[in-house]
């Protein structure tokens, strides 16, 4: 029997199928054709009438007709499908509550130890494949499990709109083919910066899960198999994300020109990027002087003043003038 999903019992389905085939039938006819007793046939026919799957005459003996299947079954199937979707959503919510509870009671639910290069590669691929919004990376020199240029999962994620923010340490660019691989990533949409040194290797997906190698491992580290931690939502994960953001603030943006040359790989700022006019303009801007007044004091047009401000915002990685003022103070521009 196949109508169970519509809330129809085997006996009701058998009788309903007979009514569909026969056109109409009495309880005696149904009993004779289905093997049910007359009393059972009458009970099933009445149940079908209550469910709107059959109707009967008022003249005795009553004869029953089947309600058209699209009227009798489709609304019931839709109601059941909606109820199933609601139950599935509730089950998912309960599962999340269960996991949160288990994480509070069992540390193994928060931190999972991964041993071996292949297991580490698989987890790195999986978290990238499931990422929806953003990936954060610390890329140190001397790979542990995934050689530079072999992370095809990044390009697949970038193609579906996942943002990548990647921090490279200076020594990373000494690895063979590293520069070409970074150029390919930046051209695909990766946002890359560099610092002189990174404290550890790290990958974070959607600020919800992180992979962090625990011992050097790999071809240029410990001869033992690499061991890593898979860290889920916890204070430890929040600390790792905060560590990334702190290094990101001080990092130097990598600039890739049309020829594929990368600038900024040493992770330190070059010569003073601001001119004397920039510094005077910035001081006036921080003091709250309007663009028109700044232009008058410096003998510049308002358009030129705005171009200077825009250039300094790009240098500082600032999206607003308030952020520019904050970055200027941190970088010693004032």
């Amino acid at each position: 029997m196949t109508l169970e999903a519509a809330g129809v019992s085997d006996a009701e389905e058998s009788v309903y199928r007979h009514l569909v085939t026969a056109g109409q039938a009495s309880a005696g006819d149904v009993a004779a054709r289905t093997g049910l007793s007359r009393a059972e046939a009458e009970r099933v026919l009445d149940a079908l009438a209550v469910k709107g799957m059959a109707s009967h005459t008022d003249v005795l003996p009553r004869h029953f007709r089947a309600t058209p299947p699209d009227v009798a079954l489709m609304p019931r199937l839709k109601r059941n499908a909606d109820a199933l979707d609601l139950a599935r959503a509730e089950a998912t919510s309960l599962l999340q509550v269960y996991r949160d509870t288990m994480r509070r009671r069992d540390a193994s639910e928060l931190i999972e130890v991964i041993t071996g290069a292949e297991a580490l590669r698989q987890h790195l691929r999986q978290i990238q494949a499931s990422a929806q919004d953003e990936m954060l990376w610390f890329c140190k020199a001397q790979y542990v499990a995934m050689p530079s240029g072999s992370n095809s999962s990044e390009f697949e994620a970038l193609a579906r709109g996942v943002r990548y923010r990647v921090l490279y340490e200076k020594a990373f660019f000494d690895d063979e083919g590293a520069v070409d691989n970074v150029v390919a990533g930046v051209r695909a949409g990766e946002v890359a910066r560099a610092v002189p040194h990174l404290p550890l290797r790290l990958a974070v997906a959607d600020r919800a899960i992180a992979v962090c190698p625990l011992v050097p491992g790999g071809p240029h580290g410990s001869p033992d198999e690499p061991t890593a931690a898979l860290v889920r939502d916890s204070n430890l994960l929040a600390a790792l994300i905060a560590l990334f953001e702190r290094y990101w603030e001080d990092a130097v943006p990598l600039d890739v020109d049309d020829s594929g040359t990368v600038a900024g790989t040493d992770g330190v700022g070059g010569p003073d990027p601001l001119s004397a006019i920039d510094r005077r303009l910035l001081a006036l801007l921080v003091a709250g002087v309007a663009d028109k007044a700044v232009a008058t004091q410096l003998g510049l047009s308002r358009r030129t003043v705005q171009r200077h401000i825009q250039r300094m915002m790009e240098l500082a990685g600032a999206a607003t003038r308030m952020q520019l003022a904050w970055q200027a103070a941190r970088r010693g521009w004032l």
Side-chain angles (χ1 to χ4, degrees):
M1 297 299 177
T2 59
L3 298 182
E4 183 179 358
V8 179
S9 69
D10 289 352
E12 290 168 346
E13 180 176 348
S14 178
V15 172
Y16 180 74
R17 286 179 178 275
H18 174 65
L19 293 179
V20 169
T21 303
Q24 68 174 10
S26 65
D29 297 331
V30 169
R33 291 298 300 268
T34 62
L36 299 173
S37 67
R38 184 182 180 88
E40 184 67 12
E42 289 178 346
R43 186 192 68 77
V44 173
L45 286 167
D46 287 339
L48 290 175
V50 169
K51 291 180 177 180
M53 296 177 65
S55 59
H56 59 77
T57 62
D58 293 331
V59 179
L60 297 177
R62 295 182 303 171
H63 282 71
F64 289 77
R65 290 180 177 275
T67 303
D70 58 337
V71 176
L73 298 175
M74 292 306 181
R76 299 180 65 84
L77 288 171
K78 185 180 185 305
R79 286 196 298 272
N80 288 349
D82 292 342
L84 182 60
D85 289 340
L86 181 61
R88 185 181 293 110
E90 184 62 24
T92 300
S93 176
L94 287 172
L95 177 59
Q96 186 59 50
V97 173
Y98 171 81
R99 286 175 173 169
D100 291 343
T101 301
M102 291 302 295
R103 288 172 186 170
R104 288 193 295 270
R105 295 182 178 179
D106 186 354
S108 65
E109 290 292 320
L110 294 174
I111 303 175
E112 176 184 346
V113 176
I114 306 165
T115 302
E118 180 56 32
L120 179 53
R121 280 192 292 271
Q122 288 180 0
H123 278 82
L124 287 171
R125 294 189 189 107
Q126 287 169 358
I127 68 169
Q128 291 179 91
S130 61
Q132 299 296 316
D133 299 311
E134 184 180 51
M135 288 293 306
L136 311 177
W137 284 84
F138 274 174
C139 287
K140 288 177 65 66
Q142 314 294 346
Y143 73 90
V144 168
M146 188 173 284
S148 178
S150 66
N151 187 15
S152 59
S153 298
E154 174 180 354
F155 295 95
E156 295 168 2
L158 284 168
R160 67 172 187 272
V162 177
R163 185 187 185 204
Y164 271 67
R165 287 197 286 152
V166 185
L167 271 171
Y168 297 94
E169 68 176 6
K170 178 182 177 181
F172 175 89
F173 297 96
D174 295 332
D175 291 351
E176 183 179 356
V179 173
D180 291 340
N181 294 324
V182 171
V183 170
V186 171
R187 286 178 172 171
E190 174 186 303
V191 182
R193 294 186 180 184
V195 292
H197 175 73
L198 288 172
L200 73 164
R201 305 175 194 276
L202 178 67
V204 183
D206 291 338
R207 299 176 178 263
I209 189 168
V211 176
C212 177
L214 299 175
V215 294
H220 300 288
S222 166
D224 298 329
E225 282 277 76
T227 301
L230 189 69
V231 183
R232 296 182 176 86
D233 191 16
S234 62
N235 287 339
L236 176 57
L237 177 61
L240 291 172
I241 294 172
L243 179 67
F244 176 92
E245 296 293 358
R246 182 65 186 83
Y247 271 78
W248 183 262
E249 289 176 0
D250 292 335
V252 176
L254 295 181
D255 180 49
V256 177
D257 63 21
D258 294 339
S259 67
T261 300
V262 183
T265 57
D266 58 0
V268 296
D272 189 348
L274 301 188
S275 65
I277 290 180
D278 286 331
R279 290 187 179 278
R280 290 175 60 195
L281 189 157
L282 189 58
L284 292 170
L285 182 67
V286 171
V289 180
D291 289 5
K292 183 177 181 180
V294 170
T296 300
Q297 290 194 40
L298 297 181
L300 303 173
S301 68
R302 290 184 64 183
R303 184 183 296 273
T304 301
V305 167
Q306 290 166 356
R307 280 203 303 268
H308 278 270
I309 293 173
Q310 184 62 40
R311 175 179 170 275
M312 287 189 287
M313 289 174 64
E314 292 173 356
L315 286 172
T320 66
R321 294 189 178 192
M322 183 176 294
Q323 290 178 6
L324 172 59
W326 185 77
Q327 286 288 349
R330 288 185 64 253
R331 294 165 185 258
W333 289 355
L334 294 173

PDB file of all heavy atoms in Angstrom, residues 2-24:
ATOM      1  N   THR A   2       0.391   2.308  -0.654  1.00  0.00           N
ATOM      2  CA  THR A   2       1.259   3.466  -0.899  1.00  0.00           C
ATOM      3  C   THR A   2       0.693   4.791  -0.393  1.00  0.00           C
ATOM      4  O   THR A   2       1.334   5.823  -0.548  1.00  0.00           O
ATOM      5  CB  THR A   2       1.521   3.610  -2.407  1.00  0.00           C
ATOM      6  OG1 THR A   2       0.271   3.765  -3.084  1.00  0.00           O
ATOM      7  CG2 THR A   2       2.265   2.394  -2.946  1.00  0.00           C
ATOM      8  N   LEU A   3      -0.522   4.792   0.194  1.00  0.00           N
ATOM      9  CA  LEU A   3      -1.141   6.052   0.598  1.00  0.00           C
ATOM     10  C   LEU A   3      -0.986   6.345   2.086  1.00  0.00           C
ATOM     11  O   LEU A   3      -1.677   7.210   2.625  1.00  0.00           O
ATOM     12  CB  LEU A   3      -2.629   6.038   0.231  1.00  0.00           C
ATOM     13  CG  LEU A   3      -2.942   5.926  -1.267  1.00  0.00           C
ATOM     14  CD1 LEU A   3      -4.444   5.975  -1.480  1.00  0.00           C
ATOM     15  CD2 LEU A   3      -2.248   7.036  -2.041  1.00  0.00           C
ATOM     16  N   GLU A   4      -0.068   5.674   2.739  1.00  0.00           N
ATOM     17  CA  GLU A   4       0.156   5.898   4.166  1.00  0.00           C
ATOM     18  C   GLU A   4       0.553   7.338   4.448  1.00  0.00           C
ATOM     19  O   GLU A   4       0.175   7.916   5.462  1.00  0.00           O
ATOM     20  CB  GLU A   4       1.247   4.948   4.674  1.00  0.00           C
ATOM     21  CG  GLU A   4       1.500   5.047   6.170  1.00  0.00           C
ATOM     22  CD  GLU A   4       2.560   4.075   6.644  1.00  0.00           C
ATOM     23  OE1 GLU A   4       3.069   3.301   5.806  1.00  0.00           O
ATOM     24  OE2 GLU A   4       2.886   4.099   7.837  1.00  0.00           O
ATOM     25  N   ALA A   5       1.334   7.947   3.516  1.00  0.00           N
ATOM     26  CA  ALA A   5       1.775   9.328   3.711  1.00  0.00           C
ATOM     27  C   ALA A   5       0.607  10.299   3.744  1.00  0.00           C
ATOM     28  O   ALA A   5       0.728  11.419   4.253  1.00  0.00           O
ATOM     29  CB  ALA A   5       2.747   9.734   2.598  1.00  0.00           C
ATOM     30  N   ALA A   6      -0.534   9.908   3.193  1.00  0.00           N
ATOM     31  CA  ALA A   6      -1.727  10.760   3.221  1.00  0.00           C
ATOM     32  C   ALA A   6      -2.602  10.456   4.428  1.00  0.00           C
ATOM     33  O   ALA A   6      -3.713  10.984   4.533  1.00  0.00           O
ATOM     34  CB  ALA A   6      -2.529  10.575   1.932  1.00  0.00           C
ATOM     35  N   GLY A   7      -2.129   9.612   5.333  1.00  0.00           N
ATOM     36  CA  GLY A   7      -2.905   9.282   6.524  1.00  0.00           C
ATOM     37  C   GLY A   7      -3.994   8.267   6.265  1.00  0.00           C
ATOM     38  O   GLY A   7      -5.009   8.248   6.961  1.00  0.00           O
ATOM     39  N   VAL A   8      -3.794   7.400   5.272  1.00  0.00           N
ATOM     40  CA  VAL A   8      -4.790   6.403   4.881  1.00  0.00           C
ATOM     41  C   VAL A   8      -4.285   5.020   5.276  1.00  0.00           C
ATOM     42  O   VAL A   8      -3.154   4.646   4.948  1.00  0.00           O
ATOM     43  CB  VAL A   8      -5.049   6.454   3.363  1.00  0.00           C
ATOM     44  CG1 VAL A   8      -6.074   5.401   2.951  1.00  0.00           C
ATOM     45  CG2 VAL A   8      -5.515   7.850   2.961  1.00  0.00           C
ATOM     46  N   SER A   9      -5.125   4.251   6.000  1.00  0.00           N
ATOM     47  CA  SER A   9      -4.728   2.909   6.421  1.00  0.00           C
ATOM     48  C   SER A   9      -4.774   1.948   5.237  1.00  0.00           C
ATOM     49  O   SER A   9      -5.343   2.253   4.172  1.00  0.00           O
ATOM     50  CB  SER A   9      -5.645   2.407   7.529  1.00  0.00           C
ATOM     51  OG  SER A   9      -6.948   2.156   7.005  1.00  0.00           O
ATOM     52  N   ASP A  10      -4.194   0.771   5.408  1.00  0.00           N
ATOM     53  CA  ASP A  10      -4.184  -0.227   4.339  1.00  0.00           C
ATOM     54  C   ASP A  10      -5.609  -0.607   3.940  1.00  0.00           C
ATOM     55  O   ASP A  10      -5.923  -0.718   2.744  1.00  0.00           O
ATOM     56  CB  ASP A  10      -3.422  -1.481   4.792  1.00  0.00           C
ATOM     57  CG  ASP A  10      -1.931  -1.243   4.898  1.00  0.00           C
ATOM     58  OD1 ASP A  10      -1.477  -0.156   4.468  1.00  0.00           O
ATOM     59  OD2 ASP A  10      -1.221  -2.120   5.410  1.00  0.00           O
ATOM     60  N   ALA A  11      -6.479  -0.819   4.943  1.00  0.00           N
ATOM     61  CA  ALA A  11      -7.855  -1.213   4.643  1.00  0.00           C
ATOM     62  C   ALA A  11      -8.584  -0.092   3.906  1.00  0.00           C
ATOM     63  O   ALA A  11      -9.319  -0.339   2.932  1.00  0.00           O
ATOM     64  CB  ALA A  11      -8.596  -1.568   5.932  1.00  0.00           C
ATOM     65  N   GLU A  12      -8.365   1.149   4.333  1.00  0.00           N
ATOM     66  CA  GLU A  12      -9.015   2.282   3.677  1.00  0.00           C
ATOM     67  C   GLU A  12      -8.512   2.439   2.255  1.00  0.00           C
ATOM     68  O   GLU A  12      -9.306   2.722   1.337  1.00  0.00           O
ATOM     69  CB  GLU A  12      -8.749   3.562   4.476  1.00  0.00           C
ATOM     70  CG  GLU A  12      -9.480   3.598   5.813  1.00  0.00           C
ATOM     71  CD  GLU A  12      -8.997   4.711   6.702  1.00  0.00           C
ATOM     72  OE1 GLU A  12      -7.934   5.294   6.411  1.00  0.00           O
ATOM     73  OE2 GLU A  12      -9.671   5.000   7.716  1.00  0.00           O
ATOM     74  N   GLU A  13      -7.232   2.231   2.035  1.00  0.00           N
ATOM     75  CA  GLU A  13      -6.704   2.334   0.681  1.00  0.00           C
ATOM     76  C   GLU A  13      -7.292   1.261  -0.218  1.00  0.00           C
ATOM     77  O   GLU A  13      -7.647   1.527  -1.374  1.00  0.00           O
ATOM     78  CB  GLU A  13      -5.173   2.226   0.688  1.00  0.00           C
ATOM     79  CG  GLU A  13      -4.565   2.317  -0.710  1.00  0.00           C
ATOM     80  CD  GLU A  13      -3.046   2.313  -0.709  1.00  0.00           C
ATOM     81  OE1 GLU A  13      -2.449   2.469   0.373  1.00  0.00           O
ATOM     82  OE2 GLU A  13      -2.455   2.153  -1.813  1.00  0.00           O
ATOM     83  N   SER A  14      -7.403   0.034   0.324  1.00  0.00           N
ATOM     84  CA  SER A  14      -7.957  -1.064  -0.472  1.00  0.00           C
ATOM     85  C   SER A  14      -9.393  -0.766  -0.886  1.00  0.00           C
ATOM     86  O   SER A  14      -9.775  -0.954  -2.053  1.00  0.00           O
ATOM     87  CB  SER A  14      -7.897  -2.360   0.346  1.00  0.00           C
ATOM     88  OG  SER A  14      -8.464  -3.428  -0.370  1.00  0.00           O
ATOM     89  N   VAL A  15     -10.194  -0.279   0.061  1.00  0.00           N
ATOM     90  CA  VAL A  15     -11.594   0.018  -0.243  1.00  0.00           C
ATOM     91  C   VAL A  15     -11.683   1.213  -1.191  1.00  0.00           C
ATOM     92  O   VAL A  15     -12.502   1.206  -2.134  1.00  0.00           O
ATOM     93  CB  VAL A  15     -12.367   0.276   1.057  1.00  0.00           C
ATOM     94  CG1 VAL A  15     -13.792   0.774   0.747  1.00  0.00           C
ATOM     95  CG2 VAL A  15     -12.438  -0.991   1.901  1.00  0.00           C
ATOM     96  N   TYR A  16     -10.870   2.234  -0.983  1.00  0.00           N
ATOM     97  CA  TYR A  16     -10.904   3.418  -1.852  1.00  0.00           C
ATOM     98  C   TYR A  16     -10.533   3.033  -3.290  1.00  0.00           C
ATOM     99  O   TYR A  16     -11.177   3.483  -4.247  1.00  0.00           O
ATOM    100  CB  TYR A  16      -9.933   4.487  -1.330  1.00  0.00           C
ATOM    101  CG  TYR A  16      -9.927   5.742  -2.178  1.00  0.00           C
ATOM    102  CD1 TYR A  16     -10.986   6.643  -2.140  1.00  0.00           C
ATOM    103  CD2 TYR A  16      -8.858   6.024  -3.028  1.00  0.00           C
ATOM    104  CE1 TYR A  16     -10.987   7.786  -2.918  1.00  0.00           C
ATOM    105  CE2 TYR A  16      -8.842   7.176  -3.801  1.00  0.00           C
ATOM    106  CZ  TYR A  16      -9.917   8.054  -3.751  1.00  0.00           C
ATOM    107  OH  TYR A  16      -9.916   9.184  -4.534  1.00  0.00           O
ATOM    108  N   ARG A  17      -9.535   2.182  -3.443  1.00  0.00           N
ATOM    109  CA  ARG A  17      -9.155   1.732  -4.783  1.00  0.00           C
ATOM    110  C   ARG A  17     -10.318   0.981  -5.446  1.00  0.00           C
ATOM    111  O   ARG A  17     -10.559   1.123  -6.657  1.00  0.00           O
ATOM    112  CB  ARG A  17      -7.920   0.830  -4.713  1.00  0.00           C
ATOM    113  CG  ARG A  17      -6.613   1.572  -4.429  1.00  0.00           C
ATOM    114  CD  ARG A  17      -5.435   0.618  -4.356  1.00  0.00           C
ATOM    115  NE  ARG A  17      -4.181   1.322  -4.126  1.00  0.00           N
ATOM    116  CZ  ARG A  17      -3.438   1.873  -5.081  1.00  0.00           C
ATOM    117  NH1 ARG A  17      -3.833   1.783  -6.346  1.00  0.00           N
ATOM    118  NH2 ARG A  17      -2.322   2.512  -4.793  1.00  0.00           N
ATOM    119  N   HIS A  18     -11.049   0.189  -4.663  1.00  0.00           N
ATOM    120  CA  HIS A  18     -12.199  -0.527  -5.229  1.00  0.00           C
ATOM    121  C   HIS A  18     -13.274   0.446  -5.685  1.00  0.00           C
ATOM    122  O   HIS A  18     -13.859   0.272  -6.774  1.00  0.00           O
ATOM    123  CB  HIS A  18     -12.775  -1.492  -4.185  1.00  0.00           C
ATOM    124  CG  HIS A  18     -14.038  -2.146  -4.627  1.00  0.00           C
ATOM    125  ND1 HIS A  18     -14.108  -3.025  -5.691  1.00  0.00           N
ATOM    126  CD2 HIS A  18     -15.328  -2.023  -4.170  1.00  0.00           C
ATOM    127  CE1 HIS A  18     -15.354  -3.421  -5.878  1.00  0.00           C
ATOM    128  NE2 HIS A  18     -16.117  -2.826  -4.949  1.00  0.00           N
ATOM    129  N   LEU A  19     -13.513   1.507  -4.867  1.00  0.00           N
ATOM    130  CA  LEU A  19     -14.523   2.485  -5.263  1.00  0.00           C
ATOM    131  C   LEU A  19     -14.107   3.221  -6.530  1.00  0.00           C
ATOM    132  O   LEU A  19     -14.951   3.504  -7.406  1.00  0.00           O
ATOM    133  CB  LEU A  19     -14.753   3.498  -4.129  1.00  0.00           C
ATOM    134  CG  LEU A  19     -15.399   2.968  -2.852  1.00  0.00           C
ATOM    135  CD1 LEU A  19     -15.521   4.089  -1.832  1.00  0.00           C
ATOM    136  CD2 LEU A  19     -16.778   2.365  -3.149  1.00  0.00           C
ATOM    137  N   VAL A  20     -12.818   3.552  -6.643  1.00  0.00           N
ATOM    138  CA  VAL A  20     -12.325   4.239  -7.841  1.00  0.00           C
ATOM    139  C   VAL A  20     -12.550   3.365  -9.064  1.00  0.00           C
ATOM    140  O   VAL A  20     -12.944   3.841 -10.148  1.00  0.00           O
ATOM    141  CB  VAL A  20     -10.832   4.596  -7.684  1.00  0.00           C
ATOM    142  CG1 VAL A  20     -10.244   5.060  -9.021  1.00  0.00           C
ATOM    143  CG2 VAL A  20     -10.659   5.677  -6.629  1.00  0.00           C
ATOM    144  N   THR A  21     -12.335   2.084  -8.917  1.00  0.00           N
ATOM    145  CA  THR A  21     -12.463   1.153 -10.047  1.00  0.00           C
ATOM    146  C   THR A  21     -13.925   0.850 -10.370  1.00  0.00           C
ATOM    147  O   THR A  21     -14.330   0.826 -11.539  1.00  0.00           O
ATOM    148  CB  THR A  21     -11.729  -0.163  -9.726  1.00  0.00           C
ATOM    149  OG1 THR A  21     -10.363   0.122  -9.433  1.00  0.00           O
ATOM    150  CG2 THR A  21     -11.813  -1.131 -10.905  1.00  0.00           C
ATOM    151  N   ALA A  22     -14.739   0.640  -9.315  1.00  0.00           N
ATOM    152  CA  ALA A  22     -16.124   0.215  -9.529  1.00  0.00           C
ATOM    153  C   ALA A  22     -17.064   1.371  -9.820  1.00  0.00           C
ATOM    154  O   ALA A  22     -18.145   1.164 -10.398  1.00  0.00           O
ATOM    155  CB  ALA A  22     -16.616  -0.547  -8.300  1.00  0.00           C
ATOM    156  N   GLY A  23     -16.691   2.566  -9.455  1.00  0.00           N
ATOM    157  CA  GLY A  23     -17.585   3.709  -9.659  1.00  0.00           C
ATOM    158  C   GLY A  23     -18.435   3.944  -8.439  1.00  0.00           C
ATOM    159  O   GLY A  23     -18.457   5.037  -7.891  1.00  0.00           O
ATOM    160  N   GLN A  24     -19.170   2.915  -7.971  1.00  0.00           N
ATOM    161  CA  GLN A  24     -19.920   2.979  -6.732  1.00  0.00           C
ATOM    162  C   GLN A  24     -20.100   1.557  -6.210  1.00  0.00           C
ATOM    163  O   GLN A  24     -20.038   0.587  -6.969  1.00  0.00           O
ATOM    164  CB  GLN A  24     -21.266   3.671  -6.910  1.00  0.00           C
ATOM    165  CG  GLN A  24     -22.257   2.879  -7.758  1.00  0.00           C
ATOM    166  CD  GLN A  24     -23.629   3.546  -7.788  1.00  0.00           C
ATOM    167  OE1 GLN A  24     -23.801   4.675  -7.348  1.00  0.00           O
ATOM    168  NE2 GLN A  24     -24.619   2.814  -8.293  1.00  0.00           N
TER     169      GLN A  24
END
